[in-house]
Amino acid sequence: MTMWTSLDPTEVTVEPGARAGARLRVRNTGDTVEEYRLSLVGKPSGWSRVEPDVLRLYPGSEGTAEISFAPPRSSDVEAGPVAYGIRVDPRENAAARDVVEGRLTITPFTETRAELLPPALLGRFRGRARIAVDNLGNTPLTASLVARDEANRLTFDVRPNAVQIAPGRAAFGELVVRPQAVRWTGAEESHRFTVAVRRAGDDTALDLDGTFDQRPVFGNWLVVVGGLLLTAVIAFVVLWFNFSPKIVSAAKEIRATGAPRPAPQGDGEALPEAPPPPGGTGAPKPGGKAPGGPPPLTDGGPPPPGGGGGEGGDPGGAPTEGGQDGGGAPTEEAPEPGDGGNEQPPAPPADTPTPPPWVPGSPKDVIVEFAQERLANMSSSNPCRLQPGWSPGVIDTPTRNALACYQDAVYKDGVENQKNSAAIFETDDRGTLGRATLTSLWAQGITVDKVRVGGTSWETTQLTAAFWAAYNRDYSPTDFQRARTNAQYGIDHFRLDKDMTSRYSSQVEDKIRAYQAAVGLPATGTVDAATIKKLVGGSVM
């Protein structure tokens, strides 16, 4: 052994965000000049250093190096003891290398952040919100969730009422607010409430303020309309009874006197012709038509052909307007008299497209089904994943909750982490499927390296579908057909693992360039990280 080492002290305690140190002594016990390289090994090496990291010692001399520890105040640095080592590598005598071991104890710290999403609720019978709790400390967190209101006019349902969160992670709780009394008429009433997030073993609590605006069941406009309708009904009844015709019958007087009823008298006109006698000897009147003969001529034209064809048909049974063919199949009817021969306009199709947003009660649509498949295929650890039990193509309760969770997550990630433009709520309401939400769902999973000029990929199909959702403000039937075709591509991708690939052509470049100019980006025509952030954030034109 050509060296001697000593670490003082061997155990060090440090608080995250502060600094602590130790001292390493190295003595050259050999008979030649030696150079020793010093380096840290173990977990603390990322936020610790040795100064100097090289000691050049003569035989019998001793050198000192200072080791400083500066752990950041972050949840990545867990509390508790951590082993570390200082490796000493002699340059001339490499076989004599040594590792001096020590132990560093990191003290715990707590930091909690909570948020109510959204803080303002609106409803007639209930309101729903989510409670997000982030553990920014370096120890596990157990927190209770308690909701209350000062006026005691609300009831609360918090599930779960306690959460356990690992360092650096977040947990969510569901809050349902109900008024104790239903407002049938009148103006909106605002209720204030507080959600207390209390850490286990700590008397202090983090209070989140919220409001619940209770709407009346029957709004003022409904009361006014109902009053007008009631007034109209009363007026109609009054007019009916005051001006209804009075019918006077003489039947009672005739029945009472027993007089014979008068026989009806003629009006002086000539009586109708009597029918011919049974023997068939009667002759037709001059100018009339004989029984069974052809009808009289009209407008001087030729008589209709006979020989078995009835009115509206020809001898061979060929179809004519307003008649039938020889096989009895119906033909197109002639225009009604007096309409000038013009046909009536066709009736509108039964499946009339409903423009976005899609809300609860909207007709079933394959575009909604694509959004459901996208939400249902999120990772199992994602709290916004759409769980089984949803109805395909309609905004049911599970779909609405998953959309609201997704929109909140996109907005929060954009505001706090600047990972997107956080524009999803500028056009879309929470819990509905609008253009911004549809654009964001299409843009999820697109990476810059998969959408290159001239390349062909599924991500290019996603990209064009996202632009299509972002472009169209007023959906025409053609727009709907294209959007539903894209939606079917997405359903096949998630349900059948079948991808419809597209080529990154010049038309795609033009769409990208137009979108970039519309959302305030340099119009390069090339997909970059800033463009994907805008799409994921729900920025639409």
Side-chain angles (χ1 to χ4, degrees), residues 326-531:
T331 59
E332 183 181 357
E333 296 182 356
E336 292 292 337
D339 64 354
N342 296 324
E343 298 182 358
Q344 297 295 326
D351 185 16
T352 302
T354 302
W358 291 269
V359 299
S362 295
K364 183 177 180 180
D365 203 307
V366 71
I367 300 175
V368 178
E369 189 172 353
F370 158 72
Q372 292 170 321
E373 287 289 345
R374 185 66 189 88
L375 294 170
N377 280 273
M378 290 183 173
S379 63
S380 57
S381 60
N382 195 317
C384 299
R385 182 182 184 184
L386 180 58
Q387 300 300 325
W390 44 275
S391 300
V394 295
I395 306 293
D396 53 9
T397 300
T399 304
R400 184 180 183 184
N401 293 339
L403 284 171
C405 175
Y406 175 80
Q407 292 166 331
D408 293 339
V410 169
Y411 180 77
K412 180 180 179 182
D413 203 23
V415 171
E416 297 183 359
N417 304 321
Q418 288 76 47
K419 291 187 177 181
N420 61 72
S421 60
I424 199 164
F425 285 128
E426 292 182 7
T427 56
D428 289 11
D429 292 333
R430 187 173 182 269
T432 65
L433 180 60
R435 294 192 304 122
T437 306
L438 188 60
T439 300
S440 178
L441 289 171
W442 270 118
Q444 288 291 341
I446 300 176
T447 56
V448 176
D449 58 325
K450 294 294 183 66
V451 281
R452 298 290 187 183
V453 177
T456 301
S457 64
W458 159 248
E459 285 76 7
T460 305
T461 303
Q462 286 184 255
L463 187 68
T464 55
F467 287 136
W468 191 261
Y471 284 159
N472 292 286
R473 297 184 180 179
D474 300 322
Y475 271 58
S476 67
T478 304
D479 297 335
F480 259 97
Q481 184 61 36
R482 176 62 181 273
R484 285 169 174 166
T485 301
N486 292 337
Q488 190 61 54
Y489 293 157
I491 293 173
D492 293 343
H493 170 78
F494 291 112
R495 191 177 295 170
L496 306 177
D497 198 19
K498 176 183 176 183
D499 290 346
M500 173 61 70
T501 59
S502 301
R503 184 175 179 273
Y504 195 128
S505 61
S506 58
Q507 290 84 354
V508 176
E509 286 187 85
D510 294 339
K511 293 181 180 179
I512 297 172
R513 190 175 293 108
Y515 177 79
Q516 290 170 332
V519 297
L521 296 176
T524 61
T526 303
V527 176
D528 52 11
T531 305

Side-chain angles (χ1 to χ4, degrees), residues 16 47 70-80 82 106-107 109 137-139 167:
W47 33 265
R73 188 177 177 86
S74 169
S75 58
D76 296 332
V77 182
E78 298 184 4
V82 180
I106 301 173
T107 61
F109 76 94
N138 62 351
T139 57

Side-chain angles (χ1 to χ4, degrees), residues 253-281:
E253 291 78 358
I254 296 175
R255 189 181 300 113
T257 59
R261 298 182 182 180
Q265 302 297 319
D267 56 359
E269 298 287 342
L271 294 178
E273 287 286 329
T281 57

